[in-house]
Amino acid sequence: MIKRIGILTSGGDSPGMNAAIRAVTKVGLNSGLEVFGIYNGYKGMVEGYIEPLTRESIGEIVTRGGTILGSARLPEFKDIEVREKAIRQLRKRGIEAVVVIGGDGSYRGALELTHMGINCIGLPGTIDNDITCTDYTIGFQTALETIVDAVDKLRDTSNSHHRCSIVEVMGNRCGDLALWAGVACGADIVVTSDTGFDEQDILDRLRDLDMIKKKKHAIVIISEKITDVHQFAKKVTLNTGFSGRATVLGHIQRGGSPCPFDRMLASQMGEKAVDLLMQGIGGQCVAIRQNKIVSYPIEKALVMPSESKKPLTNLFERLS
Amino acid sequence: MIKRIGILTSGGDSPGMNAAIRAVTKVGLNSGLEVFGIYNGYKGMVEGYIEPLTRESIGEIVTRGGTILGSARLPEFKDIEVREKAIRQLRKRGIEAVVVIGGDGSYRGALELTHMGINCIGLPGTIDNDITCTDYTIGFQTALETIVDAVDKLRDTSNSHHRCSIVEVMGNRCGDLALWAGVACGADIVVTSDTGFDEQDILDRLRDLDMIKKKKHAIVIISEKITDVHQFAKKVTLNTGFSGRATVLGHIQRGGSPCPFDRMLASQMGEKAVDLLMQGIGGQCVAIRQNKIVSYPIEKALVMPSESKKPLTNLFERLS
Amino acid sequence: MIKRIGILTSGGDSPGMNAAIRAVTKVGLNSGLEVFGIYNGYKGMVEGYIEPLTRESIGEIVTRGGTILGSARLPEFKDIEVREKAIRQLRKRGIEAVVVIGGDGSYRGALELTHMGINCIGLPGTIDNDITCTDYTIGFQTALETIVDAVDKLRDTSNSHHRCSIVEVMGNRCGDLALWAGVACGADIVVTSDTGFDEQDILDRLRDLDMIKKKKHAIVIISEKITDVHQFAKKVTLNTGFSGRATVLGHIQRGGSPCPFDRMLASQMGEKAVDLLMQGIGGQCVAIRQNKIVSYPIEKALVMPSESKKPLTNLFERLS
Amino acid sequence: MIKRIGILTSGGDSPGMNAAIRAVTKVGLNSGLEVFGIYNGYKGMVEGYIEPLTRESIGEIVTRGGTILGSARLPEFKDIEVREKAIRQLRKRGIEAVVVIGGDGSYRGALELTHMGINCIGLPGTIDNDITCTDYTIGFQTALETIVDAVDKLRDTSNSHHRCSIVEVMGNRCGDLALWAGVACGADIVVTSDTGFDEQDILDRLRDLDMIKKKKHAIVIISEKITDVHQFAKKVTLNTGFSGRATVLGHIQRGGSPCPFDRMLASQMGEKAVDLLMQGIGGQCVAIRQNKIVSYPIEKALVMPSESKKPLTNLFERLS
């Protein structure tokens, strides 16, 4: 049986990472393991920035956004020499297995380490919901709440000035943040990498909302990296009866106290990760699928096709 | 094909009922139906307090708690004469089918009406998560957020005064609110109708938290109608090193703007209800199961056993 | 004694405008007046878009952002013919006096109308706190809460990634939003039109925070229209150890349910405005000064010097 | 010039105490002082539970409710021997002066210590706004936000069920929380120790609201310790058309992240306290009066009459 495990957070942070760190630590300690925090992602693993986690060090973190372990990029981790150095750091401390919380880039590192003898389990920590094997990633629902709260605020002021609010949200590869926010806020138009961006069509629909449907304001939600929303807002002002205003929500979407859903999800996934490691299993990633906590081999997870967005897109349209 | 449907909310209100009303109305109108609001639950059906719902009448309601249709109790609805009167009111207006949002008491009425020739579909609108056929009811996640927000606040002050905060939450028949809140808030003890209430044992555990584990404060979450929490708080003060303080969250748990999860769930379920009615189906209730929107015959749904709470209870204990 | 008053909102909206509308309406009705809503600012006055306000029409608006009366610009209002047309619309309906909620641009219109025989009273409705005669404008504290909430979120994620978050807030002419947010959030650097923007100096201070003070992250708050924050973020990344990220909060600052302070301020000011009009007074604007609700002649108010920001700037520096 | 100061929090905690601790520490350190945290109020002073505060120990606390220094009661502090012991603990560490954050009970201790040679400055830390010399106490506005948020939630559900929500808030000696909340929430009735509690009259008014004014729901806000609100709710159900429901907000009112107003107030007052101590002044308490930060001799402050509540009570009535 293993005795010592490590945990790290990697890639962009997401609300709920701390709840996952807490769960891994508490479940680990209560199962008789020693638990080590590896700081600043794989970088800290290579540099040996590794310290024991205790009940005290994780006290009260369940309520807080960000990650107490920090996160950093380390592209060099794809080099075997770098990974070997990391493994030496782990072995020196007797750490036999590691939980990696992050996106699918982080999963690759976890898989490589497993191949080199350190069992690793990945947890999906990203607000974008862009890990195809899981129905929800840790942080997605909280980011959505930040977006919906912001759009509810914009609606107040938009409504008072006959405006079209254009809101850019995160999630380029996966439009779930935009699409869910669209349904939840009663937006008029949602643009994602799936829907494509037909500028002329959108301007036509906005004109229709203004002149035919007599709407007092309009809300457009658009995934990042699709168009320059500030330029587009100007075109809305020029070409429709609405006054266009763009808002780029940016990094506030990554912050904030995790919502109960994310705290629960992170706790369940953290528990599962420890259980897998104690069974001697590595190279897997944890997911919630059909409302059950499950795990998949990372190789398989990385190539899973994403679920069709068709039903949600249809719902959005039927709510218009 | 049907042409006119009605919608009502019944029983205790829950956040997201308005989002469901909006979804039924919009999907209905976009499918060529006329949609009627039946006010104050079955009472309004009997009294004929029924009015058309338009795009305007549901504008912006997606963000608001409560129900614009109101709710009221009508125990007499179990009498066939009363229901016959209700059906006459519907027929007079050409309403052929009805969506009923409420708890399982409301489902019984929906089933009776279906037997009498008015197809009804039930949607689970209650914060208690006590409808066994669905993994989540509309309003559960929002109520949880209200609870978690309150407990996070109590923690601040509890921590500053070496207190034991005893928090009574809703959900007598189903302990999900208490158990989820326990995991999400990092509570020390959770008491539900499943766990039972062994007062002496809890006092012992609190003494242990104070004297052995040296905790600065403690949080106990307890489902309603299990004990008098104010009396229990006094016993905590007398028998442990903590100063006990009870808080009964009460009806604030039913209010508030629905969280995105509940807005989405309500929207999907509203869509499903309209689709079922358009297919000529009645006597069913909509549920989310294994992350899919499904429906069950109400007779079957009412006798479904609830899922085991064991995994969650275990998780809670392993996080201690 | 006057019998009929009107109320309008003008310029950019601010949270609490609805609370002021409610106060003017309720205090007016309870004082035996009839109260009329003038929609879309001076534009609606000219076009005669004017309707009676009743207890029902203002029900529940105290909790909501934006303005139910709408707002619009009308530069032509400086032409006397346009104002004469407006006055005819008022006279036609027997409206003898008007409450104008808005910024100091709106005050000028109010003054002109007073000179032409319609007593007007101005209320300071703007989030920028840029009306010099009043210590607080209606909406300032709520906007501040939105900013502080956003910065608290950015801190989570900033902290996890060794970032410097650069946050652009509203208030170009008056740096209060930036300065108050700086104190309230524990920001490292605040840039306003008062402090000036010495790019090189700020980069030096950030390097110092990173290398000498070993801070894990930094927060810079900057008033709008001072520099291109996205460009500046790039320079931070290039020239300091922090990774720079810019966030432009934009219009979300204008929205949201008003905080109690703003609801109270709006209520007190609305009451004062009605009292002044009932005393036959016009051409004044209401202010809170030394924690008392007072009024000043608009001519005088428009040229009052602003209070020195020195004490707050000193406080900010002493908190570094 | 003094070199070492201490700081403690005493009595019930309030949001913003941490912001005051931060301000005293930072301003102190930046002025060349050493700053010591005295834990658990006067108790820790007597027991010598005193530790240096550094920039690190107060990092990020500005955003958090409660007090990192803890608080506890020590009635024995009125005995001179106990205070002498406390003073020995201070002298042993070279602490020459102390900032005391708390209610007026705490001020008495501060005054006694000053008489015995340790200059003390009091800061008003209590949510009740019951310190007559200051217009606002630290925590009052945040507590108000918690109340208003809860009442806004109750309104949703109250409205849906034709209910009368009776909400008990803190502040027995001073009705400001109830009165401000009444104005801010648009409550129908407010009961404080100033207004008195005429049960029959209130029941009459509620009947009038139901039957004459046709209100869909009613909200009554009542200060603590005036009546048993649960019993009163039953009488409302029996004697009016509304269904009465009582909610006791309790200790959640003391928690939560302080609002910007309280963070600023705490910061300004902390700065003032350090400045007074550096000038060799003790036996004073800091206040905000006429929107200026000032100080008064504690003897004088303790006997100041409270401001008349008449204007606010009138405003509340005119808004009905």
Side-chain angles (χ1 to χ4, degrees), chain C residues 151 155 181-190 219-221 316 320, chain D residues 22:
Chain C
V151 176
R155 183 202 310 274
V183 170
C185 300
D188 299 284
I189 295 171
V190 165
I219 294 172
V220 178
I221 298 180
F316 176 75
S320 69
Chain D
R22 166 186 176 256

Side-chain angles (χ1 to χ4, degrees), chain D residues 254-288:
Chain D
R254 291 199 188 284
S257 180
C259 70
F261 186 93
D262 277 329
R263 297 189 195 184
M264 175 58 89
L265 184 64
S267 301
Q268 292 176 310
M269 287 182 161
E271 178 189 39
K272 178 77 173 182
V274 174
D275 284 346
L276 289 168
L277 291 179
M278 290 201 304
Q279 291 161 35
I281 297 171
Q284 301 235 345
C285 57
V286 179
I288 185 166

Side-chain angles (χ1 to χ4, degrees), chain D:
Chain D
M1 247 288 283
I2 56 169
K3 292 218 176 108
R4 292 184 170 185
I5 62 172
I7 178 165
L8 64 81
T9 48
S10 174
D13 64 326
S14 73
M17 281 187 163
N18 279 329
I21 295 167
R22 166 186 176 256
V24 168
T25 305
K26 288 238 177 164
V27 172
L29 295 176
N30 283 331
S31 306
L33 302 176
E34 288 174 74
V35 183
F36 288 78
I38 301 166
Y39 289 79
N40 300 331
Y42 291 118
K43 189 153 172 284
M45 189 187 278
V46 175
E47 295 171 356
Y49 185 0
I50 300 172
E51 287 171 12
L53 290 174
T54 62
R55 285 172 196 286
E56 286 66 42
S57 54
I58 56 157
E60 323 274 299
I61 67 171
V62 71
T63 66
R64 307 183 68 177
T67 156
I68 59 162
L69 296 177
S71 186
R73 296 184 170 280
L74 187 69
E76 303 82 350
F77 202 68
K78 63 181 191 309
D79 302 337
I80 189 161
E81 300 78 25
V82 176
R83 291 200 304 277
E84 280 170 347
K85 189 168 168 203
I87 286 179
R88 282 194 300 274
Q89 294 281 14
L90 297 176
R91 295 223 192 277
K92 201 159 67 185
R93 288 163 181 83
I95 297 171
E96 300 148 285
V98 175
V99 180
V100 172
I101 314 175
D104 51 19
S106 320
Y107 283 13
R108 275 176 244 275
L111 184 58
E112 298 284 0
L113 288 176
T114 302
H115 290 331
M116 294 166 75
I118 298 286
N119 273 344
C120 290
I121 298 293
L123 298 193
T126 153
I127 63 167
D128 288 0
N129 216 32
D130 59 353
I131 297 184
T132 51
C133 71
T134 189
D135 289 330
Y136 299 110
T137 53
I138 298 169
F140 171 66
Q141 289 290 342
T142 303
L144 206 48
E145 301 206 351
T146 298
I147 295 169
V148 167
D149 183 58
V151 176
D152 285 353
K153 283 196 168 80
L154 286 170
R155 184 204 308 274
D156 288 343
T157 179
S158 218
N159 209 340
S160 304
H161 290 84
H162 202 64
R163 278 199 185 130
C164 171
S165 291
I166 297 141
V167 186
E168 183 184 295
V169 300
M170 285 193 167
N172 175 257
R173 294 190 311 169
C174 172
D176 281 7
L177 282 174
L179 198 47
W180 275 67
V183 170
C185 301
D188 299 286
I189 295 171
V190 165
V191 180
T192 69
S193 52
D194 283 321
T195 68
F197 178 61
D198 179 342
E199 191 174 277
Q200 197 48 55
D201 173 61
I202 294 172
L203 292 172
D204 290 346
R205 285 154 69 193
L206 287 172
R207 260 195 304 271
D208 182 66
L209 285 169
D210 174 35
M211 292 195 294
I212 312 296
K213 301 215 175 122
K214 303 288 179 200
K215 287 212 49 167
K216 289 175 73 178
H217 69 109
I219 294 172
V220 178
I221 298 180
I222 182 164
S223 299
E224 61 182 351
K225 296 177 195 164
I226 286 186
T227 191
D228 179 321
V229 290
H230 297 286
Q231 288 305 318
F232 180 60
K234 286 181 192 158
K235 291 185 192 164
V236 168
T237 304
L238 282 174
N239 293 285
T240 77
F242 294 114
S243 168
R245 286 288 189 288
T247 302
V248 177
L249 289 181
H251 281 74
I252 59 171
Q253 294 167 86
R254 291 199 188 284
S257 180
C259 70
F261 186 93
D262 277 329
R263 297 189 195 184
M264 175 58 89
L265 184 64
S267 301
Q268 292 176 310
M269 287 182 161
E271 178 189 39
K272 178 77 173 182
V274 174
D275 284 346
L276 289 168
L277 291 179
M278 290 201 304
Q279 291 161 35
I281 297 171
Q284 301 235 345
C285 57
V286 179
I288 185 166
R289 195 90 183 193
Q290 297 184 338
N291 206 30
K292 291 271 174 301
I293 303 297
V294 296
S295 67
Y296 297 102
I298 292 177
E299 282 104 333
K300 203 177 139 193
L302 290 177
V303 297
M304 273 195 198
S306 76
E307 296 251 329
S308 165
K309 307 298 178 197
K310 205 75 203 155
L312 268 197
T313 312
N314 281 349
L315 171 60
F316 176 75
E317 278 161 20
R318 298 179 80 188
L319 290 173
S320 69

Side-chain angles (χ1 to χ4, degrees), chain C residues 93-232:
Chain C
R93 288 161 182 84
I95 297 170
E96 300 147 285
V98 175
V99 179
V100 171
I101 313 175
D104 51 19
S106 319
Y107 283 15
R108 275 176 243 275
L111 184 58
E112 298 284 359
L113 287 176
T114 303
H115 290 330
M116 293 166 75
I118 298 286
N119 272 344
C120 290
I121 296 292
L123 297 192
T126 153
I127 63 167
D128 288 0
N129 217 32
D130 60 353
I131 297 185
T132 51
C133 70
T134 189
D135 290 331
Y136 300 110
T137 53
I138 298 169
F140 171 64
Q141 289 289 342
T142 303
L144 207 48
E145 301 206 351
T146 299
I147 293 169
V148 167
D149 183 57
V151 176
D152 285 353
K153 284 196 167 79
L154 285 171
R155 183 202 310 274
D156 288 342
T157 181
S158 218
N159 210 342
S160 305
H161 289 83
H162 202 65
R163 280 202 183 125
C164 171
S165 290
I166 297 142
V167 186
E168 183 184 295
V169 302
M170 286 192 167
N172 174 257
R173 294 190 312 170
C174 172
D176 282 6
L177 283 173
L179 197 48
W180 275 66
V183 170
C185 300
D188 299 284
I189 295 171
V190 165
V191 180
T192 69
S193 52
D194 283 323
T195 67
F197 178 62
D198 179 342
E199 191 174 276
Q200 196 49 55
D201 174 61
I202 294 172
L203 292 173
D204 289 345
R205 285 155 68 191
L206 288 172
R207 260 193 305 270
D208 184 65
L209 286 168
D210 174 36
M211 292 194 294
I212 313 297
K213 303 215 173 120
K214 303 288 177 198
K215 288 212 48 168
K216 289 175 72 179
H217 69 110
I219 294 172
V220 178
I221 298 180
I222 182 164
S223 300
E224 62 183 350
K225 295 178 195 163
I226 285 185
T227 191
D228 179 322
V229 290
H230 297 286
Q231 289 305 319
F232 180 60

Side-chain angles (χ1 to χ4, degrees), chain A residues 32-310:
Chain A
L33 302 177
E34 288 174 75
V35 183
F36 289 78
I38 301 167
Y39 288 79
N40 300 331
Y42 291 117
K43 191 154 172 282
M45 189 187 278
V46 175
E47 296 170 355
Y49 185 0
I50 299 172
E51 287 171 11
L53 290 174
T54 64
R55 285 172 194 287
E56 287 66 40
S57 53
I58 56 157
E60 322 274 300
I61 66 171
V62 71
T63 65
R64 307 182 69 177
T67 157
I68 58 162
L69 297 178
S71 185
R73 295 183 172 280
L74 186 69
E76 303 81 351
F77 202 67
K78 65 181 187 309
D79 302 336
I80 190 161
E81 300 78 26
V82 176
R83 290 200 303 278
E84 280 168 348
K85 190 169 169 201
I87 285 179
R88 282 194 299 273
Q89 295 281 13
L90 296 176
R91 296 224 193 275
K92 201 159 68 184
R93 289 161 181 85
I95 297 170
E96 300 148 284
V98 176
V99 179
V100 171
I101 313 175
D104 51 19
S106 319
Y107 282 13
R108 275 176 243 276
L111 184 58
E112 298 284 0
L113 287 175
T114 302
H115 290 331
M116 293 166 75
I118 298 285
N119 272 345
C120 290
I121 297 293
L123 298 192
T126 154
I127 62 168
D128 288 0
N129 216 33
D130 60 353
I131 296 185
T132 50
C133 70
T134 189
D135 289 331
Y136 300 110
T137 54
I138 299 168
F140 172 65
Q141 289 289 342
T142 303
L144 207 48
E145 301 205 352
T146 300
I147 294 168
V148 168
D149 183 58
V151 176
D152 285 352
K153 282 195 168 80
L154 286 170
R155 183 202 311 273
D156 288 342
T157 180
S158 217
N159 209 342
S160 304
H161 289 83
H162 201 64
R163 278 198 186 130
C164 171
S165 290
I166 297 142
V167 187
E168 183 185 294
V169 301
M170 285 193 169
N172 174 256
R173 294 191 310 170
C174 172
D176 282 7
L177 282 174
L179 198 47
W180 275 67
V183 170
C185 300
D188 299 285
I189 295 171
V190 165
V191 180
T192 69
S193 53
D194 283 322
T195 67
F197 178 62
D198 178 342
E199 191 174 277
Q200 197 49 54
D201 173 61
I202 294 173
L203 293 172
D204 289 346
R205 284 154 69 191
L206 288 172
R207 261 194 304 270
D208 182 65
L209 285 169
D210 174 36
M211 292 195 294
I212 312 296
K213 302 215 175 122
K214 302 288 178 199
K215 287 211 50 167
K216 288 174 74 178
H217 69 108
I219 295 173
V220 178
I221 298 181
I222 182 165
S223 299
E224 61 183 350
K225 298 177 195 164
I226 286 186
T227 192
D228 179 322
V229 290
H230 297 287
Q231 290 305 318
F232 180 60
K234 285 180 192 159
K235 290 183 191 165
V236 168
T237 304
L238 282 174
N239 293 284
T240 78
F242 294 113
S243 167
R245 285 289 190 287
T247 302
V248 177
L249 290 181
H251 281 74
I252 60 172
Q253 295 167 84
R254 291 200 189 282
S257 180
C259 69
F261 186 94
D262 278 329
R263 296 188 195 185
M264 175 58 89
L265 183 65
S267 301
Q268 292 175 309
M269 288 182 160
E271 179 189 39
K272 178 77 174 183
V274 175
D275 285 345
L276 289 169
L277 290 179
M278 290 201 304
Q279 292 161 34
I281 296 171
Q284 301 235 346
C285 58
V286 179
I288 185 165
R289 195 90 182 193
Q290 298 185 335
N291 207 31
K292 293 269 174 302
I293 303 296
V294 294
S295 68
Y296 297 102
I298 291 176
E299 282 104 333
K300 201 175 140 193
L302 291 177
V303 296
M304 273 195 198
S306 76
E307 296 251 329
S308 165
K309 307 298 177 196
K310 206 75 202 154

